[in-house]
Amino acid sequence: MFLINLSGKKVVLMIPAGGSLEYRSTCRIIHQVSCNIYIPSAPTKTHMKISDLPLPKDVIEYYNKTGITELYPPQAEAVTKGLLDGNNILAAIPTASGKTLLAELAMLAAARSGGKALYIVPLRALASEKYERFTEFKDIGIKTGISTGDFDSKDEYLGDNDIIVATSEKADSLLRNETQWIHDLTTIVIDEIHLLDSKDRGPTLEVTIAKLRRINPDIHIIALSATVGNAHEIADWLDAECILSEWRPVDLREGVLLDDTIHFTGYEVDFSRNHHDTIIALVLDTLQSGGQCLIFDSSRRNAVSTAVRVSKALKPSKDSHLAGLADTVREADTDAAQKLADCIECGAAFHHAGLTSEHRKIVEKGFRDNIIKVIACTPTLAFGLNLPARRVIIKSYRRYDPNYGMEPIPVLEYKQMAGRAGRPHLDPYGECILIAKSYPELESLLDHYVASDPESIESKLGTVGALRSHILSVITGRFGESYGELMDFLQLTFFARQQETRYLHGIVESVLDFLFENKMITRSDGSLMPTSLGRLVSRLYLDPLGASIIISGLESRDDASDLTLLHLVCRTPDIRKLYLRRKDYDWIPNFASEMQDEFTAVPDEFDSGYEWFLGEVKTAALLLDWISERPDKDIEMKFGTGGGDIRGIADTAQWIMYATAQLSRHIRSLHAKRARELTECLKYGVKSELLPLTSVRGIGRVRARRLYDAGYTTPESLVTAGERRIGAIIGPKIAQNAIREIETGRTYGQV
Ligand SMILES: Nc1ncnc2c1ncn2[C@@H]1O[C@H](COP(=O)(O)OP(=O)(O)OP(=O)(O)O)[C@@H](O)[C@H]1O
Ligand SMILES: [Mg+2]
């Protein structure tokens, strides 16, 4: 009946998930091969209806209205295991299997019984996505807030909300600043909890969870994880029921392409190339069958060049939506923006952390709306953003590691990327393709990635670097007022679940010595007390090592230029330093040597730390250009960074400069005033003279300079000149808003 003979060749019929052969009128011929018919399994129905759950009527109606009527199997399992009865839950289930809904149900149930929930995410971009999603609950009277304030702000005003979204760092800083509403929390959701394994984020996450549980031992915990090797261990740590499942709403086929064949587990499919370039051939093949493509690349640069290559093969489209998106991006007038706009015009785009957040959002939305068809991206896109595609191509499964060179990525990361394949309700299946160059490589990829389970995750808390900051916060937060109490607190961490805390004694001792020597704590008769400096450092969210570098730098000199202070900020471990590219060696060492009197510490040229120092100098030089109002375009070119990087580095520098001003005041150094001013200059990327103007909303570095050069130097001068004259310089709409804001007194004009 369904074996069709096409010139003597057998074919594969692709039938949408859950389809039967009744679908044959919509079947398409995908590949000519000689193998069996493949019918993907339908999403299993659980028959557990939202309407049968013990939830308020309007919550049930809300979900039914948005088309969610029945729970997916892992969601049903979570309910059966007590999600709505207050049992802690760890859900370790694949990408796109509906983890957020679990959290939503628990948070809504809590809110309706007078509780309050904190939703913790690893990335700011994810915080915005979740915030936008949860604000939809306002229709049923649920208030949502997002905590994005500065690290030393308490964000007390958020206490009014039922749900608050924050990154793990921000949640930690709210605890350090003794925010009151933290004590009212009844529910916490930890999204992407497998990041406990991350060297940067993991320690903060586990200490934050431990503190929240210490404050409210009955707090209801919903932890959401990718599938990991040791889910039960994490569940044990959290006293949680473990939901472990491989279920996905859309079938996922994982394969490896070698020459003209895609090898899946147990079967193969011929791949007829329509282009000599393998990536382009895979893209064209996906697009022809109505799908979209995500290509994971190993670096930002590669992602950009892949997108450019693909877009050339796609050619400019006549689609007016694409042209509209491209025009908006082009307005930014930087090289990166032009390149992105050129790609978008053809239906392709690149996506990485170097893009500005506006451009990232345009790309994400364009893809979700099915206008942009292909995105070449770095692996950060694999973290929780809801951006599925029919086909995921993993262009490179190796990643550069400064210690080991090119290294294969972990299986967990591969599974996260692969899991992006398949859009529920839209794609009949999702497909992830790795690319092999030889038969042995093919076998190894099938073995190591396709057929392997993800690794177990391991706590990264047990190092001096990780514990320095957290031990200080435990002491200042009164979670550990003696050595014994401190060790008891550490028993609550995931580290203690995995290893005996006696291994920590040596590390804890050396951290305490450091904090004591740097006057951040006092120790007497076994008690540990924070000093006022210790409290300040903890509130400022600085690494105590960074704080000690800043203090000794400030104390080392009476005069300090802007470069001195910027370099001091760049010496702290809290800021990511720029690497030197080959061509940077043409000028940075000279610049460093010419300016050496300006720096608070200069290692010997033959010292092993000299390279590191040059990275600090390069970062400080970028910041100096930023506050000298050098155009973004020139900075990007000179330093080899993206627009998003400049903002990212300036953002971090602004926070550390603010901390420098506070520390400077604390030790009564002379540099507090300039450091405070520089904080504002870094915020806007301007010289001090423009600060009164940039304090008006809507006036950024470019418009402020135009106004200043035209003789308007203060907010009052704009009001006096009036909308017509100011409008001629910065545009009528912005002039009108700015003047209205100044008149209503919302702008104060001075630093
Ligand atoms: N029971 C359901 N019925 C229909 N759609 C659902 C259901 N549960 C979740 N969804 C939808 O599935 C999509 C993916 O869900 P979600 O973003 O929660 O995935 P996730 O498991 O958190 O994956 P990730 O690993 O990407 O974070 C969302 O669009 C969501 O609305
Ligand atoms: Mg998620």
Side-chain angles (χ1 to χ4, degrees):
M1 257 309 270
F2 43 81
L3 260 189
I4 302 167
N5 201 312
L6 250 182
S7 323
K9 287 184 178 149
K10 290 174 200 159
V11 298
V12 171
L13 297 179
M14 301 307 298
I15 298 172
S20 69
L21 292 172
E22 302 305 318
Y23 269 84
R24 64 189 181 279
S25 56
T26 58
C27 292
R28 287 169 292 103
I29 297 168
I30 304 293
H31 302 296
Q32 296 194 352
V33 290
S34 49
C35 71
N36 298 328
I37 288 180
Y38 171 79
I39 306 176
S41 58
T44 332
K45 297 235 166 53
T46 64
H47 305 300
M48 189 183 276
K49 296 210 164 23
I50 296 262
S51 53
D52 294 337
L53 299 179
L55 290 168
K57 216 164 127 238
D58 57 345
V59 172
I60 291 171
E61 274 167 13
Y62 168 83
Y63 280 110
N64 285 340
K65 236 191 305 171
T66 56
I68 296 185
T69 52
E70 200 167 299
L71 295 186
Y72 287 159
Q75 295 167 339
E77 190 184 339
V79 170
T80 311
K81 288 190 168 165
L83 173 77
L84 298 172
D85 308 316
N87 289 355
N88 292 350
I89 297 284
L90 170 87
I93 53 182
T95 300
S97 54
K99 294 187 278 290
T100 321
L101 184 75
L102 288 181
E104 288 176 9
L105 298 180
M107 293 191 299
L108 293 172
R112 277 304 159 83
S113 27
K116 191 185 286 303
L118 177 64
Y119 192 103
I120 303 176
V121 290
L123 302 171
R124 272 201 206 186
L126 214 51
S128 317
E129 190 185 284
K130 295 300 170 198
Y131 171 68
E132 274 162 36
R133 159 76 190 145
F134 303 151
T135 43
E136 289 174 22
F137 300 143
K138 70 175 180 306
D139 295 348
I140 46 172
I142 301 291
K143 288 198 240 164
T144 305
I146 180 167
S147 182
T148 52
D150 295 332
F151 275 137
D152 70 339
S153 72
K154 289 172 186 264
D155 288 4
E156 288 291 8
Y157 68 96
L158 287 174
D160 220 22
N161 294 295
D162 305 296
I163 299 173
I164 297 150
V165 185
T167 61
S168 40
E169 285 76 20
K170 184 62 205 185
D172 185 16
S173 83
L174 292 170
L175 278 158
R176 291 171 184 226
N177 285 285
E178 298 176 16
T179 300
Q180 276 312 305
W181 54 256
I182 290 277
H183 293 265
D184 305 333
L185 292 175
T186 54
T187 308
I188 47 169
V189 179
I190 305 125
D191 204 352
E192 314 274 335
I193 196 171
H194 51 272
L195 287 175
L196 281 173
D197 197 54
S198 141
K199 201 159 63 56
D200 303 326
R201 300 206 149 82
T204 303
L205 189 56
E206 57 178 298
V207 171
T208 302
I209 296 170
K211 284 179 185 168
L212 290 168
R213 295 184 82 191
R214 173 56 78 81
I215 291 172
N216 177 1
D218 295 327
I219 204 155
H220 187 203
I221 302 176
I222 320 296
L224 311 175
S225 169
T227 40
V228 292
N230 54 343
H232 282 290
E233 195 175 21
I234 308 174
D236 278 352
W237 172 51
L238 298 172
D239 299 316
E241 298 285 343
C242 187
I243 317 292
L244 201 57
S245 165
E246 291 297 325
W247 183 90
R248 288 174 42 94
V250 190
D251 253 27
L252 175 63
R253 311 163 77 203
E254 298 169 68
V256 182
L257 174 70
L258 174 66
D259 300 328
D260 292 329
T261 310
I262 305 177
H263 300 253
F264 295 97
T265 314
Y267 66 102
E268 295 165 8
V269 171
D270 282 353
F271 177 61
S272 42
R273 287 166 185 270
N274 38 19
H275 200 282
H276 62 274
D277 179 318
T278 302
I279 298 292
I280 294 176
L282 282 167
V283 167
L284 294 176
D285 179 63
T286 319
L287 266 48
Q288 274 155 15
S289 63
Q292 288 169 288
C293 240
L294 274 181
I295 308 168
F296 283 101
D297 238 311
S298 55
S299 69
R300 293 177 188 186
R301 188 185 306 208
N302 290 349
V304 174
S305 69
T306 301
V308 170
R309 229 168 68 214
V310 168
S311 67
K312 284 192 177 135
L314 296 180
K315 313 245 170 46
S317 144
K318 292 197 175 58
D319 184 335
S320 62
H321 294 105
L322 280 176
L325 292 184
D327 286 348
T328 317
V329 170
R330 222 181 280 287
E331 275 170 24
D333 194 29
T334 61
D335 285 352
Q338 300 315 310
K339 226 178 238 177
L340 181 59
D342 290 348
C343 290
I344 290 179
E345 242 164 27
C346 305
F350 47 89
H351 186 292
H352 56 64
L355 289 188
T356 59
S357 60
E358 298 81 46
H359 290 169
R360 270 209 305 270
K361 278 192 188 141
I362 291 176
V363 172
E364 286 162 18
K365 180 154 187 327
F367 195 75
R368 258 182 222 129
D369 295 345
N370 205 355
I371 300 171
I372 294 175
K373 301 290 180 186
V374 188
I375 297 182
C377 58
T378 50
T380 40
L381 204 78
F383 282 121
L385 282 184
N386 192 9
L387 213 64
R390 164 88 55 90
R391 181 179 267 166
V392 164
I393 304 167
I394 300 183
K395 209 181 122 214
S396 164
Y397 60 90
R398 293 204 174 88
R399 200 83 67 244
Y400 182 73
D401 180 303
N403 297 321
Y404 303 104
M406 292 305 274
E407 282 282 292
I409 56 171
V411 180
L412 176 61
E413 193 175 324
Y414 160 77
K415 295 285 179 195
Q416 288 277 98
M417 296 194 276
R420 297 282 136 209
R423 294 167 309 162
H425 316 297
L426 294 172
D427 288 332
Y429 60 89
E431 195 174 73
C432 173
I433 309 279
L434 284 153
I435 299 161
K437 292 197 183 66
S438 64
Y439 198 77
E441 190 181 20
L442 162 77
E443 290 213 306
S444 130
L445 291 178
L446 282 171
D447 232 36
H448 184 65
Y449 288 120
V450 176
S452 278
D453 291 328
E455 299 82 359
S456 293
I457 62 167
E458 280 172 30
S459 166
K460 299 289 185 294
L461 185 65
T463 65
V464 173
L467 280 172
R468 207 165 36 218
S469 175
H470 292 301
I471 287 186
L472 178 61
S473 81
V474 169
I475 297 172
T476 58
R478 294 186 292 278
F479 293 100
E481 296 184 301
S482 67
Y483 189 81
E485 273 183 36
L486 172 62
M487 293 311 285
D488 282 352
F489 176 85
L490 292 174
Q491 283 295 344
L492 300 174
T493 60
F494 185 52
F495 181 91
R497 175 64 49 158
Q498 292 199 305
Q499 312 233 357
E500 303 218 7
T501 36
R502 66 190 156 91
Y503 292 124
L504 279 182
H505 282 297
I507 300 174
V508 170
E509 270 303 340
S510 66
V511 169
L512 290 174
D513 287 347
F514 176 89
L515 296 174
F516 178 71
E517 279 157 22
N518 285 281
K519 303 189 177 57
M520 295 182 201
I521 58 166
T522 59
R523 303 177 78 168
S524 62
D525 300 335
S527 86
L528 301 169
M529 293 288 288
T531 61
S532 56
L533 174 65
R535 274 199 208 94
L536 178 64
V537 171
S538 182
R539 276 208 319 271
L540 290 169
Y541 209 66
L542 269 188
D543 182 332
L545 175 62
S548 84
I549 290 172
I550 291 173
I551 291 174
S552 60
L554 291 170
E555 285 175 339
S556 70
R557 50 201 298 159
D558 293 334
D559 62 322
S561 68
D562 289 354
L563 184 59
T564 310
L565 293 174
L566 291 171
H567 176 249
L568 187 55
V569 159
C570 295
R571 283 180 57 204
T572 64
D574 304 87
I575 194 163
R576 184 171 64 86
K577 281 139 214 52
L578 294 171
Y579 290 109
L580 264 64
R581 300 165 303 166
R582 199 172 308 150
K583 59 182 177 190
D584 293 330
Y585 285 94
D586 294 344
W587 69 278
I588 297 223
N590 282 343
F591 177 77
S593 132
E594 271 166 36
M595 297 293 173
Q596 60 173 317
D597 291 344
E598 312 257 332
F599 304 127
T600 45
V602 184
D604 188 88
E605 217 175 310
F606 301 104
D607 193 295
S608 61
Y610 194 71
E611 271 303 305
W612 189 251
F613 165 71
L614 292 179
E616 294 165 5
V617 172
K618 178 175 175 184
T619 317
L622 177 142
L623 292 169
L624 194 62
D625 278 1
W626 169 245
I627 62 167
S628 308
E629 298 173 34
R630 201 171 170 147
D632 281 31
K633 204 172 168 173
D634 296 0
I635 301 182
E636 284 178 25
M637 191 79 108
K638 180 170 163 191
F639 295 91
T641 52
D645 289 315
I646 303 174
R647 297 290 189 289
I649 294 169
D651 244 28
T652 313
Q654 180 201 337
W655 148 54
I656 305 172
M657 189 60 84
Y658 171 78
T660 305
Q662 299 288 316
L663 289 172
S664 186
R665 216 172 56 163
H666 185 86
I667 59 167
R668 297 184 200 291
S669 107
L670 302 170
H671 309 301
K673 182 164 179 288
R674 188 59 193 149
R676 213 167 48 236
E677 249 173 36
L678 280 178
T679 307
E680 294 297 306
C681 296
L682 284 165
K683 181 169 178 185
Y684 299 106
V686 293
K687 296 182 186 156
S688 308
E689 64 199 25
L690 293 193
L691 290 178
L693 290 174
T694 49
S695 66
V696 182
R697 205 162 2 149
I699 300 190
R701 63 195 310 236
V702 176
R703 293 192 182 106
R705 175 51 61 198
R706 268 194 243 142
L707 289 167
Y708 191 93
D709 290 347
Y712 305 105
T713 58
T714 61
E716 297 71 38
S717 66
L718 307 189
V719 177
T720 317
E723 277 177 35
R724 201 178 49 79
R725 265 191 259 164
I726 299 304
I729 303 171
I730 58 171
K733 187 110 201 93
I734 293 167
Q736 189 188 44
N737 290 342
I739 290 175
R740 197 168 297 160
E741 179 168 308
I742 301 164
E743 282 176 336
T744 51
R746 266 174 287 161
T747 297
Y748 299 99
Q750 296 301 324
V751 219

